[in-house]
Amino acid sequence: MSSATSRTGCIRMSANDVLSTKVHFEEWSNVRAAALEANGVNKFEYFCVDQFLKAYPIADEDILAGITGGPNDGGVDAIFFFANRKVVNDETQISSDTTLRVNLAIFQVKENQGFGPNEINKLYFFTDDLLNLTIPAATFHEKYNQRLLDIMDTFKTKFPKVGPHAQVFIDYYYISKVDEETLNPTAQEAVDKVIAKAREHLSAATVTFHPIGAPKLWAQIQQRPPKSRPLQFTELMETPEGRVGLVKLRDFFNFLLDENGELFERIFDSNVRGFQQETPVNLSIRETLTEPSEAEFWLLNNGITVLASTVNTAGFKNVRIEDPQIVNGLQTSREVFAYYHALATIPESDNRRVLVRVIQTTNSAVREGIVRATNNQNKMQPAALRATDPIHGHIETLFRSSGLYYDRRPGHHKDEGRPIDKIVSIVGLLQTMVAIVLQKPQDAYGAPGRYIREDDDYLSVFGENVHTVPLFLNCIKIQRKVDDFLAESGVERGHRQRVRFYIAMYATCVALKQSRPTKEKILELDIAQVTNKIINDSYKRVWKTYNKFGGDNLTAKGPKILQSLQRGLRRRFPDSESN
């Protein structure tokens, strides 16, 4: 790929590079993002964020939640708060003992202008408002839009719980299509002020400002997370099911690294989440790493189980693993990573080994059986294995027949290039069921995680034989019809998120002429009966009630909206509860 160097030393793009960037964006827009703008989201902003967050295990719904561009955005088109490289939201549990790293990524995206100091100065004022943790986000309700205020509130609430030993990184991305990547003196002065303001509030943070012009954008587009990874064994046994053997810890550490030298989070199976840092098992693993004994590491610790679509021999005792997923040994893997990552250099004399099983399978039933059977080293909370329940396989099959992709492994369909509006997450489906079937829209918005963590709550949605599978499809269709209406209504995205579940619940009740419809009635409901007229009426009633009780985040999470709506429904359909 050719490029030229200007007199200022800046790498400039060739005409072919510019054309390739344009073609790639247009293809992405047509295949993945056709419905974004109808939802009030700028395609180019989403595209840029997606490109520069490749290193994080982030799903489409997380990206959508972080997009803030529009009126009153304070110069911030998107913002993301990560703890241990996972997106932080209202329900994220942050512990000072287990939070080792915090990342704050702030995006400003411009299609047709360069790096102007006026735009950068907006980030200066936003940085002061965000990082001054003593001032509540609600203070700025007239200055910033609701989506941005909600993210600011999450950061101000959660960040103080981070321990003093966590590494903090703040990255500003100013992305433009212009064919330049240098800042003029005035713009550089504005950048220096932004960085100084961030360090004024968080003195230990590593703060970086990234001016991204067309050359760096094209370079980022070309980066692809590797689908295959090599692994060198010291002892190896080949079987029809895969490979089993011993791997040096330092070689396994390299297997865990991404292209930036950080932990490659995508390698960890999404069904088994969470790093239980202070359990006895983890402390024991850590002790065997820091205080080597006469017994070998692999004799003192359970091994690693890796699932792969294919496993190929790549040389003497060396294999190449396609789409590897660590489904057992997550705790061991993270302890190994943390230990070697902290070393200035890894001694050549360190020949300790770990037992690794690489199992080749594309059969989802076999895969899920292995996940459940092998996760016994630390007692796994049932919530960690929810996505392996048979109900989710049945939902996936039915959804696919209707042109939808059920994201049992978060980010999987995103990586496969599926259209954003056709992907349904487990949490997204759960929220819809909680709102429409259980008639608890306040939980759907404010506490969906409870329905993953708590057994009784989880079983009320996904329990065996509790709901027929077609009911899930009917509910998601109702919710999407409501979402399409809201996208055209002009309601700010932050408010939309707060009222969408209430509207779906209310519209279902009106369509069925029942204040508390049964799941059987909801299953029988023809989606065509949920007309735009009904949705519009439901929206007006919900919107009026939402604003009556405060029109803010706490209102949407509280009981008052639902109580008022239910009273109104009982008046409208007084005989329905006996049906």
Side-chain angles (χ1 to χ4, degrees):
M1 190 154 309
S2 62
S3 59
T5 305
S6 72
R7 292 176 184 174
T8 61
C10 174
I11 299 297
R12 302 188 67 84
M13 299 181 76
S14 71
N16 288 342
D17 292 343
V18 174
L19 178 62
S20 296
T21 300
K22 179 181 178 182
V23 169
H24 185 89
F25 173 62
E26 289 176 351
E27 287 178 350
W28 176 90
S29 297
N30 294 332
V31 174
R32 291 210 70 227
L36 273 184
E37 288 185 345
N39 197 36
V41 177
N42 181 283
K43 287 183 180 181
F44 187 63
E45 289 175 3
Y46 190 106
F47 175 76
C48 291
V49 169
D50 194 15
Q51 296 301 320
F52 283 90
L53 292 183
K54 284 178 179 177
Y56 295 90
I58 186 168
D60 282 315
E61 65 181 1
D62 295 322
I63 294 178
L64 283 170
I67 299 286
T68 57
N72 299 324
D73 64 15
V76 177
D77 294 313
I79 178 171
F80 300 88
F81 173 28
F82 300 92
N84 294 339
R85 300 176 69 78
K86 301 286 181 63
V87 175
V88 175
N89 57 38
D90 278 355
E91 292 195 283
T92 303
Q93 305 281 326
I94 288 188
S95 165
S96 60
D97 294 327
T98 59
T99 304
L100 307 177
R101 178 189 179 109
V102 167
N103 290 81
L104 187 61
I106 300 171
F107 289 83
Q108 192 174 74
V109 180
K110 304 296 177 187
E111 289 196 59
N112 300 309
Q113 64 186 76
F115 305 112
N118 291 338
E119 296 302 317
I120 298 171
N121 284 332
K122 292 179 182 178
L123 295 178
Y124 171 86
F125 295 108
F126 174 76
T127 297
D128 195 28
D129 293 341
L130 176 69
L131 300 186
N132 187 339
L133 303 179
T134 65
I135 303 179
T139 305
F140 309 108
H141 71 279
E142 293 183 353
K143 188 174 182 180
Y144 301 122
N145 65 50
Q146 291 299 316
R147 182 82 286 270
L148 185 54
L149 285 171
D150 286 350
I151 298 173
M152 292 174 69
D153 183 62
T154 298
F155 179 81
K156 287 172 178 283
T157 302
K158 300 290 185 180
F159 185 79
K161 298 177 182 179
V162 173
H165 303 299
Q167 294 179 293
V168 179
F169 299 85
I170 303 174
D171 290 276
Y172 296 88
Y173 296 90
Y174 188 164
I175 305 174
S176 173
K177 279 184 179 177
V178 297
D179 187 9
E180 64 177 72
E181 294 188 327
T182 56
L183 300 173
N184 64 44
T186 307
Q188 184 61 57
E189 182 180 347
V191 166
D192 293 341
K193 286 174 60 181
V194 171
I195 294 174
K197 179 56 68 175
R199 288 176 176 158
E200 176 186 321
H201 291 293
L202 298 175
S203 58
T206 300
V207 186
T208 310
F209 193 98
H210 307 271
I212 309 292
K216 285 181 183 174
L217 177 58
W218 174 239
Q220 187 69 16
I221 289 169
Q222 292 175 292
Q223 285 192 15
R224 295 284 186 276
K227 282 283 187 181
S228 67
R229 301 177 79 82
L231 185 62
Q232 177 71 53
F233 287 81
T234 61
E235 306 294 335
L236 180 63
M237 179 176 70
E238 297 191 14
T239 74
E241 297 80 16
R243 312 289 195 274
V244 182
L246 296 175
V247 176
K248 289 182 180 179
L249 287 177
R250 49 196 173 98
D251 289 334
F252 185 66
F253 167 70
N254 289 326
F255 178 73
L256 298 174
L257 296 179
D258 67 12
E259 61 273 16
N260 299 314
E262 298 294 339
L263 186 62
F264 187 56
E265 290 283 358
R266 291 169 178 262
I267 207 171
F268 294 108
D269 188 272
S270 301
N271 292 333
V272 187
R273 289 191 149 192
F275 181 29
Q276 301 150 6
Q277 189 181 15
E278 299 304 325
T279 66
V281 169
N282 288 76
L283 294 174
S284 175
I285 296 170
R286 198 174 309 159
E287 184 178 335
T288 57
L289 286 165
T290 57
E291 301 175 17
S293 67
E294 292 183 4
E296 249 279 29
F297 182 89
W298 75 273
L299 295 173
L300 300 174
N301 297 279
N302 288 353
I304 312 294
T305 302
V306 182
L307 295 187
S309 57
T310 57
V311 185
N312 299 308
T313 301
F316 181 65
K317 296 182 180 178
N318 189 292
V319 300
R320 180 160 286 277
I321 306 170
E322 296 291 331
D323 190 23
Q325 289 283 300
I326 294 176
V327 298
N328 178 251
L330 179 146
Q331 312 301 327
T332 301
S333 299
R334 289 186 181 273
E335 290 291 354
V336 168
F337 171 81
Y339 172 76
Y340 284 101
H341 193 256
L343 297 179
T345 57
I346 301 175
E348 287 291 330
S349 59
D350 187 348
N351 291 316
R352 290 175 293 172
R353 298 167 294 173
V354 63
L355 179 65
V356 178
R357 300 189 302 166
V358 182
I359 300 171
Q360 179 175 316
T361 181
T362 56
N363 185 309
S364 60
V366 172
R367 176 185 179 279
E368 285 153 18
I370 293 169
V371 170
R372 283 192 172 274
T374 56
N375 281 286
N376 295 314
Q377 181 176 13
N378 269 319
K379 277 193 174 181
M380 298 299 295
Q381 295 295 325
L385 301 171
R386 297 299 196 202
T388 64
D389 290 345
I391 183 69
H392 297 290
H394 300 318
I395 293 170
E396 183 176 32
T397 300
L398 179 62
F399 276 30
R400 188 178 287 270
S401 69
S402 296
L404 298 174
Y405 299 93
Y406 189 47
D407 216 23
R408 298 171 69 189
R409 285 170 56 190
H412 173 70
H413 291 300
K414 172 176 175 283
D415 293 343
E416 293 293 316
R418 308 297 186 192
I420 295 165
D421 63 315
K422 300 298 183 184
I423 298 173
V424 180
S425 71
I426 290 179
V427 173
L429 178 59
L430 180 153
Q431 288 175 298
T432 297
M433 293 292 289
V434 170
I436 296 175
V437 179
L438 303 187
Q439 284 208 322
K440 296 180 179 179
Q442 78 281 19
D443 283 356
Y445 172 69
R450 197 181 86 200
Y451 291 80
I452 294 291
R453 294 189 302 270
E454 304 297 331
D455 283 347
D456 289 345
D457 290 322
Y458 173 80
L459 293 174
S460 71
V461 178
F462 293 119
E464 187 175 358
N465 299 322
V466 173
H467 304 301
T468 61
V469 174
L471 179 62
F472 292 91
L473 183 58
N474 232 27
C475 287
I476 206 69
K477 287 181 177 179
I478 294 170
Q479 185 65 66
R480 291 191 162 217
K481 202 166 185 179
V482 169
D483 291 342
D484 289 344
F485 171 87
L486 284 173
E488 297 176 359
S489 69
V491 175
E492 188 181 308
R493 287 181 62 239
H495 288 299
R496 269 189 258 162
Q497 293 302 312
R498 297 172 185 169
V499 300
R500 57 192 287 261
F501 298 117
Y502 288 96
I503 297 171
M505 181 211 76
Y506 197 94
T508 302
C509 292
V510 173
L512 289 167
K513 296 182 170 57
Q514 291 190 324
S515 61
R516 292 193 67 86
T518 64
K519 60 186 179 183
E520 289 78 15
K521 290 292 185 182
I522 298 171
L523 176 60
E524 294 170 3
L525 177 63
D526 182 348
I527 302 303
Q529 292 177 249
V530 187
T531 63
N532 279 345
K533 184 177 184 303
I534 286 176
I535 295 174
N536 185 46
D537 172 68
S538 301
Y539 156 69
K540 289 179 179 178
R541 290 173 186 266
V542 169
W543 186 251
K544 181 179 178 180
T545 308
Y546 165 68
N547 284 291
K548 174 184 175 181
F549 292 112
D552 58 18
N553 211 26
L554 289 177
T555 302
K557 295 178 180 179
K560 292 183 179 180
I561 300 176
L562 178 63
Q563 290 168 355
S564 179
L565 293 175
Q566 287 180 329
R567 285 195 297 269
L569 285 166
R570 287 193 294 269
R571 287 193 297 270
R572 292 184 72 176
F573 311 113
D575 301 324
S576 65
E577 292 196 74
S578 61
N579 292 346

